[in-house]
Amino acid sequence: MDAARMHAASPESAAIVDAVLDYSRRRMLATDVPLDKPQTEAELRRLAGVTITDQGLGAPRALSVFEHILAPACLTTSHPAYLSFIPTAPTIAAMAFDLVVSASGLYGGSWLEGAGAVHAENEVLSWLAAEFGLPTTAGGVFVQGGTIGNLSALAAAREHARETALADGRALPPRWKLVCSIEAHSSNKSAARIMDVDVVAVPSGDDGKLHADAVRAALEEHGDAVFAVVATAGSTNFGIVDDLEGIAALKDEFDFWLHVDGAYGLTAMLAPEARAWFSGVERADSLIVDPHKWLFAPFDCCALLYRDPEHGRRAHTQHAEYLDTLTDTDAFSPSDYSIQLTRRPRGLPLWFSLATYGVDAYRSAVSATLALTRRIAEEISSRPELRLVRDPQLSVVVFEREGWERADYDRWSDELLQSQRALVVPSSHAGRTNTRFAILNPLTTFEELVGILDTMR
Ligand SMILES: *Cc1c(COP(=O)(O)O)cnc(C)c1O
């Protein structure tokens, strides 16, 4: 067997590339991709058979197994009726360019290896920083997702608190503490567990927002042990933005690192009518936003920004002899700013899409979704059998069906998926079952949502 067969440019290689590109082209441009649904492990094993063999199946058969057996067992998360969790909706340009990132073997960890790609990613990060009102010196890195983004930012915050305490000659607290709302995303609590720090979970108001007076009380009680306050710019459950302005103003009285978790919601700031809700974010010491959510990039991509990137670098640069040429320079290397070393330049699909369509197209897509959310919330309010759990702020609508128990929601949700109409799963709040629409796909229509509501009659 020719050892270079798998790597060489040859007619066989060309046929493989053509087959994969042809499939990708059809998939990206299809208008009728079904929602699809999971299969059991046993069923997949039966249908797909053994695919890893000594001799290989060949590309046509392997691709066929994928197209006809594996892909239909994966939900189409970009389907307009995929309305649970937080959907994704990559633009055509972003999806297509993701192929280029792979095709080019681009490495995005260091300036030495990926200067061009890193330059483009940094232009996107600078644009985001400007949108959010951060100083022009702000910077950061695209990481895998919000969970890694939050962990990386909080690790930098703790390192900063530790260095500051030592520089001031203060004793380190027996336990570091992270202040966040009880409604904060689970990834913040997960970060605290990994970092072995305590979480001070502050109750939110009846409106679901974390308010400044509650944060003030926590800061007064826990003092210098608090290394960071996390404010949420768009809760995942309800799409509610914390009182960022009030919380940020506490920085005038207390010395703390403000991290804004905007994984889902911070993108709404692109819509002029929503901007004011985020006032205060410009004082963040770090923030995240997930382009794989509302910035229409493919999985998986989180933008992590530091007000002063030096804090990220001090916490995260890896030192090793084989890396000396990378770390002994002033060149900007993305890997220095988060928990990762090897990285694909996962910000490039977003860069290409922004460069292709321009920012205005993004602003109007976000505005349209905010308007659709308000419209469907009014429709829900007008139906006697339905009740809004809270008025929506961004693009999540949470509502209850009068008289339904958990089992009713489960049955209804299963039927929606089995009939391939929609993915809408039960959720709960304060011990009561409900359901929610998380809307962000520009192809989702009012009529489609109304059709789903009609199935709850
Ligand atoms: C989705 C989300 C996260 C986690 O992001 P992943 O990309 O799923 O890791 C964190 N915080 C908020 C507010 C989110 O909506």
Side-chain angles (χ1 to χ4, degrees):
M1 174 71 63
D2 173 7
R5 176 187 151 216
M6 298 189 292
H7 297 81
S10 66
E12 182 196 7
S13 294
I16 293 170
V17 171
D18 286 347
V20 170
L21 289 183
D22 177 61
Y23 170 80
S24 302
R25 188 177 193 286
R26 279 188 283 120
R27 181 67 177 73
M28 282 188 275
L29 297 176
T31 52
D32 56 352
V33 181
L35 195 50
D36 290 325
K37 56 187 183 211
Q39 287 281 4
T40 64
E41 173 73 36
E43 185 67 359
L44 287 173
R45 204 177 311 120
R46 187 182 72 76
L47 291 170
V50 173
T51 56
I52 311 296
T53 63
D54 284 345
Q55 300 303 316
L57 303 183
R61 251 183 83 197
L63 192 58
S64 173
V65 168
F66 179 76
E67 178 169 358
H68 301 293
I69 297 167
L70 304 178
C74 298
L75 285 176
T76 304
T77 56
S78 57
H79 192 285
Y82 181 102
L83 297 160
S84 283
F85 317 115
I86 301 286
T88 190
T91 65
I92 297 290
M95 256 191 297
F97 204 75
D98 207 33
L99 296 175
V100 175
V101 176
S102 296
S104 318
L106 296 175
Y107 182 76
S110 72
W111 190 263
L112 172 71
E113 292 150 289
V118 174
H119 170 79
E121 286 189 303
N122 284 351
E123 187 180 351
V124 178
L125 290 169
S126 295
W127 167 71
L128 286 172
E131 282 292 322
F132 305 145
L134 293 179
T136 52
T137 46
V141 55
F142 287 98
V143 298
Q144 175 268 331
T147 300
I148 297 293
N150 283 334
L151 176 60
S152 298
L154 293 173
R158 199 244 322 254
E159 183 65 14
H160 175 62
R162 205 180 64 83
E163 286 177 355
T164 309
L166 292 174
D168 294 353
R170 273 185 281 127
L172 298 181
R175 301 280 302 165
W176 288 110
K177 295 180 181 180
L178 169 67
V179 172
C180 65
S181 156
I182 49 169
E183 305 246 0
H185 190 267
S186 49
S187 56
N188 294 291
K189 293 149 206 168
S190 158
R193 214 163 40 243
I194 292 166
M195 292 167 65
D196 191 27
V197 298
D198 293 338
V199 173
V200 179
V202 177
S204 54
D206 291 339
D207 54 4
K209 296 182 189 192
L210 179 63
H211 287 280
D213 47 359
V215 175
R216 170 194 295 281
L219 290 169
E220 280 169 352
E221 183 179 346
H222 300 283
D224 286 346
V226 176
F227 72 93
V229 173
V230 175
T232 306
S235 60
T236 319
N237 264 347
F238 280 101
I240 301 272
V241 182
D242 286 346
D243 174 19
L244 298 179
E245 186 158 32
I247 295 167
L250 292 171
K251 280 166 124 343
D252 295 336
E253 293 168 64
F254 301 88
D255 193 15
F256 65 92
W257 177 293
L258 175 60
H259 175 64
V260 173
D261 179 358
Y264 146 68
L266 200 47
T267 297
M269 220 177 151
L270 293 182
E273 67 274 24
R275 237 188 122 70
W277 294 328
F278 299 91
S279 180
V281 69
E282 71 283 355
R283 296 192 68 179
D285 295 287
S286 57
L287 62 80
I288 63 158
V289 61
D290 272 358
H292 66 219
K293 290 176 176 170
W294 212 349
L295 274 170
F296 313 127
F299 296 132
D300 38 21
C301 186
C302 164
L304 162 62
L305 280 168
Y306 298 96
R307 168 178 223 83
D308 177 358
E310 181 59 18
H311 293 312
R313 207 182 59 74
R314 292 172 79 91
H316 294 299
T317 300
Q318 295 188 23
H319 295 278
E321 284 164 355
Y322 86 102
L323 297 172
D324 280 350
T325 40
L326 300 182
T327 39
D328 293 349
T329 90
D330 292 335
F332 180 92
S333 285
S335 291
D336 289 343
Y337 298 87
S338 69
I339 297 160
Q340 62 186 348
L341 183 60
T342 296
R343 68 179 289 275
R344 90 197 241 109
R346 48 174 29 88
L348 276 191
L350 174 60
W351 164 78
F352 182 71
S353 185
L354 281 165
T356 298
Y357 302 120
V359 173
D360 286 351
Y362 281 74
R363 290 195 205 288
S364 43
V366 172
S367 285
T369 296
L370 291 171
L372 173 60
T373 308
R374 279 193 297 275
R375 196 169 163 214
I376 198 65
E378 280 162 23
E379 176 65 28
I380 289 168
S381 299
S382 76
R383 296 191 172 210
E385 75 279 12
L386 301 178
R387 190 181 76 83
L388 281 181
V389 176
R390 263 186 196 139
D391 284 332
Q393 185 176 8
L394 301 183
S395 68
V396 179
V397 198
V398 185
F399 55 103
E400 292 179 0
R401 167 66 164 82
E402 188 85 27
W404 274 15
E405 305 286 337
R406 175 71 197 217
D408 299 305
Y409 286 96
D410 284 339
R411 233 185 341 263
W412 165 77
S413 174
D414 285 348
E415 170 56 25
L416 283 179
L417 186 58
Q418 289 309 320
S419 63
Q420 293 286 286
R421 180 194 272 273
L423 178 80
V424 186
V425 302
S427 181
S428 69
H429 179 66
R432 294 170 63 91
T433 308
N434 57 40
T435 191
R436 60 195 262 292
F437 290 157
I439 308 166
L440 58 73
N441 191 324
L443 298 178
T444 303
T445 63
F446 179 71
E447 291 67 31
E448 188 157 31
L449 298 176
V450 165
I452 297 169
L453 296 182
D454 287 345
T455 64
M456 302 180 88
R457 284 232 160 98

